[in-house]
Amino acid sequence: MAAGGGGSCDPLAPAGIPCAFSPVSQAYFALASSDGHLRVWETASNRLHQEYVPSAHLSGTCTCLAWAPARLQAKESHQRKKRKSEAVGTCDQVDLLALGTAVGSILLYSTVKGELHSKLISGGHENRVNCIQWHQDNGCIYSCSDDKHIVEWSTQTCKVKCKWKGDNSSVSSLCISPDGKMLLSAGRTIKLWVLETKEVYRHFTGHATPVSSLMFTTVRPPNESQPFDGVTGLYFLSGAVHDRLLNVWQVRSENKEKSAVMSFTVTDEPIYVDLTLSENKEPVKLAVVCRDGQVHLFEHILNGHCKKPLTSNCTIQIATPGKGKKSPPKPIPILAAGFCSDKMSLLLVYGSWFQPTIERVALNSKETHICLERDISNCWTPKVETAVTKVRTPVINSEAKVLVPGIPGHHAPIKPPPPQPKEVENKRKLGGNEATIEERLGAMDIDKKERKDDFLQTNSFPVLLTQGLESNDFEMLNKVLQTRNLNLIKKTVLRMPLHAVIPLLQEGTFHILGFLFFSSAVLMVQWLKCVLTVHASYLSTLPDLVHQLGTLYQLMESRVKTFQKLSHLHGKLILLITQVTASEKTKKMPPPGQKAKLVYEEESSEEESDDEIAEKDSDDNWDEDEEEKDSEKDEGEEDEDAEDKEENGEDRDVSSEKELNGDSDLEPENESEEE
């Protein structure tokens, strides 16, 4: 049984990759890699049996898998009608394999047909599937997810039979009791459910972190004198993320304590756990694969409390053979380990997930530590059966030269280092003083520009950023994130690996929240803007993007809410400021000049009156013109008052002309000349 799937950015996600041995004979080993491919290997010949790539393998990667139980497969093989084209050994082969995805769907893959059997999606989970369990009798599938629910599926109709809330947080692991009537579920707490009524039968305290593995260890209780109801008295095992203790619990009556009765201690977080069920007071054999690549073997008879954690009876480790001081032995990680049917040997899967090596190891030794030397340098080429995958090996001409990385000729010729100056050699030979650093750098022909310690090189920025995010080194991150060069920021974001995108966004959110009023927040906005624009296509494929970037989204939403009001206020302030400045400018302008622009002098009053009448000849002023003509006739008749009238008439004519020309005030000199 696998401890859970990896490949997630969540720090509380289980380590390792989804993998499992086929039931009973362990003839096959299924492994779902992080690139979305499902590979089924033959354990006896260590050959790739089948490879399957789901259509949505990039967006919905496999998070967990489970083989159908042997009892169910035997029933299906008997019910199925034999056809002429069907092979004789088909009924003995392992058939269905359930795959849980990151988008909440479940795929049923048939290893006999080599294709997808069915898909369970309608009305199921809304988030990633964490664990899948087959019921050994009725053919149902039970699954749990991050959406806090447990779903019971029907494999015949591919629909949901029942769905209920399993915990207040995400449910990470499931296990069915040996009699098939109870179901264990675990998140932060462990619950035992009655499958018929979907009610909680018992509560257990659980772990501090999410549970990654959950399985029953006994079939019957050790005390056979008491009546057995199918579950009371049984022991089960649980392992959690970032926890080096595997706890053992016992199902007791309701008034008894519900804490762990004993525990097994290992060197690192468990990524794969396998055990042999205890029957008739037999000791339980336990194989735990840890994150550091070692396997710990335990053998213990479960009978009541044990105060101290039990250590392993044997530890198995695999390493490469060393070849002197130049190439010391290197550890080879173990991916999974499973007990064979005889319980006296162990199947070890080690190496890389792309080309794992499967080996059967006997457990006859009584040594506490076993180190196996294996050379896997020649095992990187995948062994694929051409009959299954229909892959033809291309015919290569002997005269053709193939250039691949690592073969001489593929890279540029290596320039020999320049000879060192004779002065440095003479100093060393004569026993003089050591050469200075400047002389050594000059001997190595290193450009002085590269020795400037003003700032780091551009090529080292993506490496430093990735290392700082993985190790959470504040000083290293501060050196990279404090740059103000926008071109350098863009180049760094383009060259950084994809798995560091989400940690960088989370680090930027932390900086903005912690240093909101400092200059680093402004710099982080530039980084976040560049990351969101460059890696938008990758971020759109993540199913849990909203959950991971929720804090950043809320922060942006709260900051943008006031933008519309501020823009309205900004517009009103601009209008007020422009009006105030315009009024101030008009006040400061000097008044227009009071001098007359034009002075018109007339020789006689008659010409003056004729011109005035000609200018004022209009349709609107007929009455006024007639009155002026009458007044002129009266002026000619009256001789006594002629001089007074001429003076007054001249004054009115001059003033009217000045009004037409825009001048109203007359100077005293002009008045005297006209008179």
Side-chain angles (χ1 to χ4, degrees):
M1 293 184 181
S8 176
C9 297
D10 186 6
L12 293 179
I17 53 178
C19 54
F21 289 97
S22 60
V24 185
S25 61
Q26 288 85 24
Y28 299 100
F29 178 73
L31 185 147
S33 56
S34 57
D35 58 355
H37 292 219
L38 171 68
R39 296 179 176 91
V40 181
W41 302 84
E42 295 179 3
T43 56
S45 60
N46 195 23
R47 288 190 176 186
L48 181 62
H49 178 62
Q50 285 180 2
E51 183 174 4
Y52 172 67
V53 183
S55 59
H57 65 285
L58 294 178
S59 60
T61 56
C62 180
T63 55
C64 57
L65 56 86
W67 291 90
R71 297 178 190 174
L72 181 64
Q73 292 171 5
K75 289 181 181 179
E76 290 182 354
S77 63
H78 287 303
Q79 293 174 0
R80 187 170 47 194
K81 294 181 179 180
K82 292 185 178 180
R83 300 177 182 176
K84 292 182 180 180
S85 61
E86 189 176 8
V88 178
T90 302
C91 60
D92 298 330
Q93 293 182 359
V94 178
D95 193 3
L96 294 179
L97 183 65
L99 307 173
T101 62
V103 294
S105 60
I106 297 176
L107 309 178
L108 297 182
Y109 176 75
S110 175
T111 55
V112 173
K113 299 178 182 178
E115 59 184 12
L116 193 65
H117 180 270
S118 57
K119 192 173 183 179
L120 314 178
I121 51 174
S122 59
H125 296 292
E126 300 174 357
N127 211 325
R128 58 170 282 162
V129 181
N130 292 325
C131 185
I132 297 175
Q133 285 290 320
W134 288 78
H135 198 281
Q136 57 264 36
D137 297 326
N138 57 14
C140 293
I141 292 179
Y142 295 90
S143 61
C144 60
S145 170
D146 284 344
D147 60 5
K148 309 175 185 179
H149 285 82
I150 302 173
V151 178
E152 181 181 6
W153 301 87
S154 173
T155 55
Q156 297 179 355
T157 61
C158 298
K159 294 183 179 180
V160 177
K161 292 181 66 177
C162 185
K163 181 179 180 180
W164 71 96
K165 188 176 181 180
D167 206 334
N168 292 328
S169 59
S170 61
V171 185
S172 57
S173 188
L174 296 175
C175 182
I176 299 176
S177 62
D179 62 351
K181 296 180 180 179
M182 297 286 182
L183 176 70
L184 273 174
S185 71
R188 296 300 176 100
T189 61
I190 302 175
K191 297 178 182 179
L192 184 63
W193 302 82
V194 181
L195 286 178
E196 186 177 357
T197 60
K198 307 298 185 296
E199 295 179 354
V200 179
Y201 182 73
R202 292 287 184 273
H203 275 278
F204 301 92
T205 54
H207 292 260
T209 53
V211 176
S212 57
S213 57
L214 198 64
M215 57 190 72
F216 278 91
T217 58
T218 55
V219 178
R220 295 190 62 85
N223 190 3
E224 298 181 356
S225 60
Q226 296 180 358
F228 179 52
D229 59 354
V231 70
T232 304
L234 296 183
Y235 292 89
F236 65 89
L237 180 81
S238 67
V241 178
H242 301 321
D243 196 348
R244 296 189 301 165
L245 290 178
L246 293 165
N247 292 336
V248 178
W249 315 78
Q250 187 178 18
V251 183
R252 299 183 178 184
S253 57
E254 201 167 353
N255 54 359
K256 294 284 184 74
E257 60 179 346
K258 300 173 181 60
S259 58
V261 294
M262 60 179 300
S263 59
F264 300 102
T265 178
V266 290
T267 55
D268 205 344
E269 176 187 349
I271 62 172
Y272 193 96
V273 180
D274 190 42
L275 55 84
T276 61
L277 287 172
S278 174
E279 298 180 5
N280 300 324
K281 296 183 180 180
E282 293 180 356
V284 174
K285 291 185 177 181
L286 186 66
V288 184
V289 181
C290 295
R291 197 171 191 171
D292 56 5
Q294 300 182 16
V295 178
H296 299 275
L297 301 177
F298 299 88
E299 187 173 354
H300 184 74
I301 298 175
L302 301 177
N303 190 8
H305 277 277
C306 186
K307 295 181 180 179
K308 294 183 179 180
L310 299 178
T311 56
S312 60
N313 300 331
C314 180
T315 301
I316 301 176
Q317 190 176 5
I318 302 177
T320 58
K323 297 180 182 179
K325 296 182 179 180
K326 294 183 179 180
S327 59
K330 296 180 180 179
I332 301 173
I334 300 175
L335 305 177
F339 287 100
C340 298
S341 56
D342 59 356
K343 300 182 181 180
M344 297 302 295
S345 56
L346 195 68
L347 281 174
L348 295 179
V349 182
Y350 57 89
S352 68
W353 56 265
F354 178 73
Q355 177 63 38
T357 304
I358 304 174
E359 182 180 350
R360 185 168 180 170
V361 179
L363 302 177
N364 299 326
S365 177
K366 294 183 179 179
E367 298 180 3
T368 58
H369 187 83
I370 300 175
C371 185
L372 304 175
E373 289 187 3
R374 298 291 183 267
D375 188 7
I376 60 173
S377 59
N378 299 325
C379 300
W380 294 111
T381 306
K383 302 175 183 178
V384 183
E385 287 188 355
T386 56
V388 176
T389 58
K390 298 180 181 179
V391 177
R392 292 184 180 180
T393 306
V395 179
I396 302 175
N397 190 2
S398 59
E399 297 178 357
K401 185 179 180 181
V402 181
L403 298 179
V404 297
I407 296 180
H410 183 70
H411 49 74
I414 301 174
K415 296 180 181 179
Q420 295 182 355
K422 294 182 179 180
E423 297 179 358
V424 180
E425 294 179 357
N426 293 334
K427 286 183 180 179
R428 291 180 180 176
K429 289 180 180 179
L430 299 174
N433 296 329
E434 292 186 359
T436 61
I437 295 177
E438 186 176 359
E439 291 174 349
R440 292 180 184 178
L441 293 175
M444 293 171 64
D445 196 21
I446 294 178
D447 193 0
K448 293 181 179 180
K449 294 181 180 179
E450 294 180 0
R451 287 184 276 123
K452 287 184 178 181
D453 54 351
D454 296 339
F455 211 76
L456 301 168
Q457 293 183 1
T458 307
N459 296 331
S460 64
F461 262 63
V463 179
L464 286 177
L465 181 62
T466 307
Q467 292 178 354
L469 291 172
E470 291 178 354
S471 61
N472 201 12
D473 192 343
F474 178 76
E475 294 183 358
M476 190 181 297
L477 286 174
N478 196 27
K479 286 181 180 179
V480 179
L481 298 178
Q482 289 299 321
T483 179
R484 298 178 180 272
N485 190 348
L486 296 179
N487 191 21
L488 184 58
I489 292 173
K490 187 175 181 180
K491 289 182 179 179
T492 305
V493 173
L494 282 171
R495 295 178 182 177
M496 66 183 295
L498 289 178
H499 64 82
V501 172
I502 294 295
L504 179 58
L505 291 176
Q506 294 175 351
E507 184 70 21
T509 307
F510 171 74
H511 273 255
I512 294 176
L513 286 173
F515 308 100
L516 195 58
F517 301 102
F518 294 91
S519 59
S520 61
V522 180
L523 297 176
M524 284 312 305
V525 169
Q526 299 294 337
W527 281 92
L528 294 177
K529 179 182 177 182
C530 190
V531 171
L532 292 175
T533 51
V534 172
H535 297 288
S537 58
Y538 165 71
L539 293 172
S540 62
T541 60
L542 299 178
D544 54 348
L545 182 65
V546 178
H547 174 69
Q548 292 183 357
L549 302 182
T551 306
L552 179 61
Y553 178 76
Q554 293 175 1
L555 180 62
M556 294 169 60
E557 191 71 19
S558 62
R559 300 288 292 178
V560 171
K561 278 183 179 179
T562 58
F563 177 75
Q564 188 175 5
K565 297 180 181 179
L566 289 175
S567 62
H568 286 307
L569 181 61
H570 181 65
K572 293 179 180 179
L573 288 176
I574 288 176
L575 288 175
L576 290 174
I577 291 171
T578 51
Q579 290 178 2
V580 170
T581 52
S583 62
E584 289 179 353
K585 286 181 180 179
T586 53
K587 290 180 180 179
K588 292 180 180 179
M589 288 177 64
Q594 299 297 328
K595 293 182 179 180
K597 294 182 180 179
L598 179 64
V599 177
Y600 181 72
E601 297 180 358
E602 294 182 350
E603 296 179 357
S604 61
S605 60
E606 293 178 358
E607 294 177 358
E608 189 177 14
S609 62
D610 294 337
D611 294 336
E612 185 177 359
I613 292 169
E615 289 177 358
K616 293 185 177 181
D617 191 7
S618 62
D619 296 338
D620 297 334
N621 299 323
W622 281 105
D623 298 334
E624 294 178 358
D625 294 337
E626 291 176 356
E627 291 177 359
E628 290 177 355
K629 289 178 182 179
D630 296 336
S631 63
E632 288 177 358
K633 290 179 181 179
D634 295 335
E635 287 176 0
E637 293 175 357
E638 295 177 359
D639 295 332
E640 295 179 356
D641 301 327
E643 294 179 358
D644 297 331
K645 287 180 180 179
E646 285 178 1
E647 291 178 1
N648 295 330
E650 288 177 358
D651 293 337
R652 281 198 302 269
D653 294 338
V654 173
S655 63
S656 63
E657 288 180 0
K658 294 295 178 69
E659 287 177 0
L660 290 173
N661 293 328
D663 299 331
S664 59
D665 298 332
L666 295 175
E667 296 179 359
E669 296 178 357
N670 294 334
E671 289 180 359
S672 62
E673 289 176 359
E674 288 174 1
E675 289 175 358

